[in-house]
Amino acid sequence: MDLEKLKYPIGRHQKITLSTPEDRNAWMHDLAVLPGNLEATVASLSEKQLNTPYRPDGWSVRQVVHHIADSHLNAFIRIKLVMTEGNTTIRPYKEAIWAAMGDYTDLPISHSLNILRGLHPRLVHVFQNMTEDDYKKHYIHPEYGQTYPLDSVLALYSWHGRHHLAQIMELKKREGWL
């Protein structure tokens, strides 16, 4: 299997330029079901399996689960800042360095699954209560020099959860862990 397919089993994220209420409802559904789907996907994995990289030179399943929690927590804070303070430039973080820290490599994934179980209903609630004008509010990501309207952020995090879930599921298939 080629490295691109291992990295992006559902394909790379395509930034949206226009969304409909139906699109947003589908993306919110993805966010709503992610914690349960992720928990079901990793429930039967042993410690050895949790410490297995999903691809050569990639993060372990454990690191991926902790990353999803941290990434979506950062997204939630960024969204709330835009909603309460207006369009803003966000503060990026160094994901690869975070993934090498002890909380990613040593702690049980239950801690991050608990975060996602509590965070995602709140995240979905914020998106459900946005107006059309709210979805046009944005933040600027200084590393990329791009503007991210909140509807685009919703699409991105819908993809992000499905993307990492697929990485774990594809590893389980390749290793015969099903």
Side-chain angles (χ1 to χ4, degrees):
M1 183 170 276
D2 68 64
L3 189 58
E4 181 74 9
K5 186 68 175 164
L6 291 174
K7 282 184 179 181
Y8 302 100
I10 64 169
R12 290 182 182 261
H13 174 67
Q14 303 296 316
K15 190 172 178 187
I16 61 133
T17 55
L18 183 63
S19 71
T20 66
E22 293 78 20
D23 293 330
R24 294 190 297 265
N25 284 334
W27 298 327
M28 283 184 263
H29 174 76
D30 292 340
L31 291 176
V33 300
L34 177 65
N37 289 345
L38 182 60
E39 191 164 3
T41 300
V42 299
S44 64
L45 298 181
S46 69
E47 286 297 306
K48 182 179 179 186
Q49 291 168 331
L50 288 171
N51 291 324
T52 302
Y54 74 91
R55 66 171 172 85
D57 299 318
W59 291 341
S60 70
V61 173
R62 180 183 312 277
Q63 288 170 300
V64 170
V65 172
H66 290 309
H67 162 73
I68 296 168
D70 282 353
S71 176
H72 291 208
L73 189 57
N74 270 283
F76 181 69
I77 297 299
R78 292 168 176 173
I79 293 160
K80 296 272 287 208
L81 287 171
V82 170
M83 293 298 292
T84 60
E85 298 177 13
N87 300 335
T88 188
T89 299
I90 61 158
R91 185 168 192 267
Y93 64 101
K94 307 225 180 275
E95 293 176 349
I97 295 171
W98 284 36
M101 295 178 71
D103 63 319
Y104 274 53
T105 59
D106 303 338
L107 289 178
I109 61 171
S110 60
H111 298 302
S112 287
L113 293 172
N114 287 336
I115 289 170
L116 291 167
R117 235 182 273 114
L119 175 64
H120 273 234
R122 293 185 64 198
L123 185 58
V124 170
H125 186 270
V126 169
F127 280 122
Q128 285 174 332
N129 287 282
M130 286 185 185
T131 65
E132 287 296 320
D133 287 339
D134 289 337
Y135 279 108
K136 294 174 186 158
K137 294 177 182 176
H138 68 271
Y139 61 70
I140 299 166
H141 197 299
E143 280 185 17
Y144 308 125
Q146 292 185 11
T147 298
Y148 289 83
L150 293 183
D151 64 344
S152 178
V153 172
L154 172 57
L156 172 62
Y157 283 89
S158 162
W159 172 85
H160 186 258
R162 291 181 294 106
H163 158 72
H164 285 305
L165 184 63
Q167 289 172 335
I168 297 167
M169 292 170 71
E170 289 300 315
L171 172 65
K172 287 177 67 173
K173 285 180 196 171
R174 286 193 314 276
E175 295 296 324
W177 297 343
L178 300 174

